[in-house]
Amino acid sequence: MEGSETHDQAHVLVVPYPVQGHINPMLQFSKRLVSKGVRATLAVTVYLSKSMHMEPTGPIEIDTISDGYDEGGSAAAESFEAQQMNLQVVGSRTLHSLIQRLDESGKPVHAVIYDGFLPWALDVAKECGKLGVVFFTQTCAVNNIYYHVKKGLVELPLKGPRVSFPGLPPLDPSETPSFIYILGSYPAIYNMVVDQFVNVEDADYVLFNTFYELEKEVADWMNSNLWPLKTIGPTVPSMYLDRRLEDDRDYTLNLFKPNNDACASWLGRKPPRSVIYVSFGSMAELPAQQMAELAAALSHNRHRYNFLWIIRESEMPKLPLEFIKSTSEDECGLILPWCSQLEVLRHDSIGGFLTHCGLNSVLEAICVGVPLVAVPQWTDQPTNAKYVEDVWGTGLRARPNKDGLVGREELGLCIEEVMEGEKGKVIRENVKKWKNLAIEAMDEGGSSDRNIDEFVAKLSSSCK
Ligand code: UDP
């Protein structure tokens, strides 16, 4: 890393929402800042600091705040509402103390970079006299929808056949985030996602983990009509992009333990582009019937394509026993609870990625050039999947049937098309194009790199 410490070095305290898909991009952004001479401390919850699998985080210092569940973790909360309340109350108090402690220990904090899901962190930053910088981990498109909902600029429930939001293509209501089109499905999460905008006008900077070229129309609209925003992504480790940060190969903090050896030796025995990688990320819970349909699709295809399916331990009981047994006896398939996803995706045996379309997964697939089969589950995933298929052209959406499940035939056809069909060829070309644009954005002088430089310059001048 290029970063070197000086007396008036800017110091940022980075506070992600405590889940994998938010820690990854905010930790990565911290690494970028450090490479440009900023000092960065990442605050995770006490519970996560004890339970995470940590590789050395290099120049990023790790410190803690509390969400009120230091012993059992948030799984011990009686409800999501209670968990959110504790995170805000105990989180605010302990963030305040952490800032004071850092200030007093000769490492004064100049700015708090907080996750959009934690708008109360801006109040704490202001109380402590610090700059407040909001970091959005979802796309501009998704956040523009939430913004319109929060400000009452769109009538709910959404009425089809098409709804429009400025800067976005016309959307079927089912292509908006699930909390919006299935109103009342998760009221506490709905409140959290729309409340990201309660105080955004007071933030000193607004950052998005996306890149300008990927979301030009909507980013321009938001920039001109809402608030100045800076696109600073994708925050995928540098060695998969511009390769300027030599030590930056991995996310380094894992909530689950990756099984790298088993994975690498199995992938190493597979021919190029013969494996479909399947993962629904760190949180999605699939209905057992959906798992069965997917298992049937993978089994049916098993002599054509190999599969690596990541199934977290808590999801394993939903898998048909027969499928587990046949997979363990057969070299064509491997089921693991977690892996180093980027390492897997870049392996030349991977031909496609069947994904829930969490934004990190979608961006990672672009950066390593892998085409997608999109099987969105909830939250922002349906909107990401719409963009994957219709705007970016980096994958195909597998469509659910009238019962809301994606059937085995549909899954099988989409896998086949992406792995070796005519549409798959076009998708591969599109992915290549986006991959190059993502590299350019992060490379010296690219759109994200310039935005980061500008941000660093403002930070540095504020601490002189
Ligand atoms: N991931 C991983 N190993 C796995 C599955 C996922 O390292 O076996 C990582 C993945 O690379 C990504 C993150 O976990 O960075 C998941 O984020 P995403 O936004 O895709 O989905 P979420 O988990 O937030 O739903």
Side-chain angles (χ1 to χ4, degrees):
M1 305 247 171
E2 313 154 12
S4 64
E5 291 188 26
T6 62
H7 189 59
D8 52 6
Q9 187 183 25
H11 181 194
V12 294
L13 178 58
V14 181
V15 192
Y17 189 77
V19 294
Q20 188 81 59
H22 290 230
I23 293 171
N24 285 0
M26 294 189 76
L27 172 62
Q28 285 308 122
F29 182 59
S30 309
K31 292 181 187 169
R32 279 283 162 183
L33 294 180
V34 168
S35 78
K36 290 175 185 285
V38 173
R39 172 176 212 148
T41 301
L42 185 90
V44 294
T45 60
V46 172
Y47 176 74
L48 288 186
S49 77
K50 291 189 289 195
S51 56
M52 275 190 316
H53 305 275
M54 280 198 214
E55 306 289 328
T57 48
I60 314 296
E61 292 167 54
I62 305 290
D63 216 312
T64 55
I65 59 170
S66 174
D67 59 355
Y69 301 97
D70 295 354
E71 293 311 317
S74 57
E78 53 275 34
S79 65
F80 185 73
E81 285 82 349
Q83 179 190 329
Q84 287 293 100
M85 183 53 73
N86 271 325
L87 179 57
Q88 172 161 356
V89 173
V90 186
S92 295
R93 196 176 63 233
T94 51
L95 178 59
H96 206 290
S97 313
L98 172 59
I99 295 172
Q100 269 177 348
R101 180 157 55 76
L102 291 169
D103 281 354
E104 286 161 11
S105 66
K107 300 186 235 171
V109 172
H110 298 97
V112 177
I113 305 182
Y114 64 95
D115 195 310
F117 282 12
L118 309 172
W120 46 263
L122 178 59
D123 301 333
V124 179
K126 295 287 160 191
E127 280 158 30
C128 298
K130 311 298 179 192
L131 293 174
V133 182
V134 58
F135 186 105
F136 288 103
T137 61
Q138 296 178 331
T139 61
C140 291
V142 164
N143 280 297
N144 200 23
I145 296 174
Y146 289 149
Y147 179 86
H148 276 72
V149 171
K150 177 68 187 173
K151 301 290 176 185
L153 301 171
V154 57
E155 197 186 329
L156 296 180
L158 297 175
K159 288 195 189 68
R162 291 281 179 271
V163 283
S164 12
F165 295 91
L168 276 73
L171 300 177
D172 183 284
S174 67
E175 293 167 341
T176 65
S178 65
F179 310 126
I180 306 303
Y181 84 89
I182 316 174
L183 275 181
S185 53
Y186 292 91
I189 308 186
Y190 171 93
N191 289 336
M192 177 175 77
V193 294
V194 301
D195 281 352
Q196 295 184 95
F197 303 100
V198 280
N199 55 4
V200 63
E201 282 85 5
D202 301 328
D204 295 293
Y205 298 98
V206 179
L207 308 177
F208 274 86
N209 179 22
T210 181
F211 58 104
Y212 176 69
E213 292 73 13
L214 193 67
E215 291 205 89
K216 190 173 177 323
E217 288 77 12
V218 63
D220 281 342
W221 187 87
M222 291 169 83
N223 220 348
S224 316
N225 295 279
L226 303 185
W227 0 262
L229 66 86
K230 293 197 186 304
T231 48
I232 52 76
T235 53
V236 166
S238 174
M239 290 315 278
Y240 294 89
L241 280 166
D242 55 311
R243 307 180 72 85
R244 286 189 295 160
L245 277 57
E246 277 178 21
D247 301 333
D248 186 22
R249 304 172 176 278
D250 198 1
Y251 287 119
T252 35
L253 297 183
N254 276 302
L255 302 190
F256 307 95
K257 194 168 168 43
N259 198 334
N260 293 335
D261 293 345
C263 213
S265 64
W266 185 84
L267 289 173
R269 297 196 292 275
K270 302 291 171 271
R273 281 214 215 152
S274 68
V275 178
I276 176 97
Y277 169 65
V278 180
S279 172
F280 292 84
S282 61
M283 296 172 84
E285 294 174 1
L286 271 65
Q289 265 176 302
Q290 184 62 75
M291 301 271 278
E293 289 302 311
L294 187 47
L298 297 173
S299 296
H300 182 74
N301 263 334
R302 73 194 317 153
H303 295 294
R304 220 155 147 196
Y305 313 117
N306 302 294
F307 65 87
L308 167 57
W309 188 356
I310 301 301
I311 308 181
R312 301 187 313 276
E313 265 163 31
S314 55
E315 290 287 283
M316 270 307 273
K318 297 179 188 167
L319 205 55
L321 283 177
E322 184 48 40
F323 177 74
I324 299 178
K325 186 165 172 288
S326 58
T327 303
S328 68
E329 288 164 357
D330 187 340
E331 175 65 19
C332 302
L334 180 65
I335 301 170
L336 289 175
W338 196 251
C339 67
S340 291
Q341 180 162 297
L342 272 163
E343 277 295 305
V344 168
L345 283 176
R346 75 152 184 190
H347 199 278
D348 68 0
S349 64
I350 299 293
F353 177 10
L354 190 148
T355 171
H356 68 312
C357 289
L359 181 58
N360 294 298
S361 293
V362 170
L363 292 175
E364 288 161 15
I366 284 178
C367 296
V368 289
V370 174
L372 301 176
V373 175
V375 187
Q377 299 298 303
W378 69 327
T379 175
D380 58 338
Q381 297 152 21
T383 315
N384 295 344
K386 160 77 181 174
Y387 270 71
V388 161
E389 185 175 76
D390 290 341
V391 180
W392 304 323
T394 58
L396 285 183
R397 272 182 293 184
R399 301 292 203 278
N401 58 27
K402 62 182 179 359
D403 302 320
L405 293 178
V406 186
R408 59 193 70 186
E409 292 81 15
E410 171 75 1
L411 289 163
L413 286 172
C414 288
I415 293 173
E416 196 177 315
E417 192 59 49
V418 160
M419 295 289 277
E420 48 187 357
E422 283 308 308
K423 283 188 194 157
K425 284 190 193 139
V426 177
I427 290 173
R428 254 169 228 286
E429 287 307 310
N430 291 334
V431 178
K432 243 187 241 162
K433 176 190 89 178
W434 288 116
K435 176 181 171 166
N436 290 333
L437 289 170
I439 295 172
E440 273 173 35
M442 291 308 282
D443 210 346
E444 195 165 355
S447 56
S448 294
D449 187 58
R450 284 197 312 273
N451 284 341
I452 300 171
D453 281 346
E454 218 177 282
F455 175 62
V456 169
K458 294 238 170 84
L459 262 185
S460 306
S461 65
S462 74
C463 74
K464 293 243 157 70

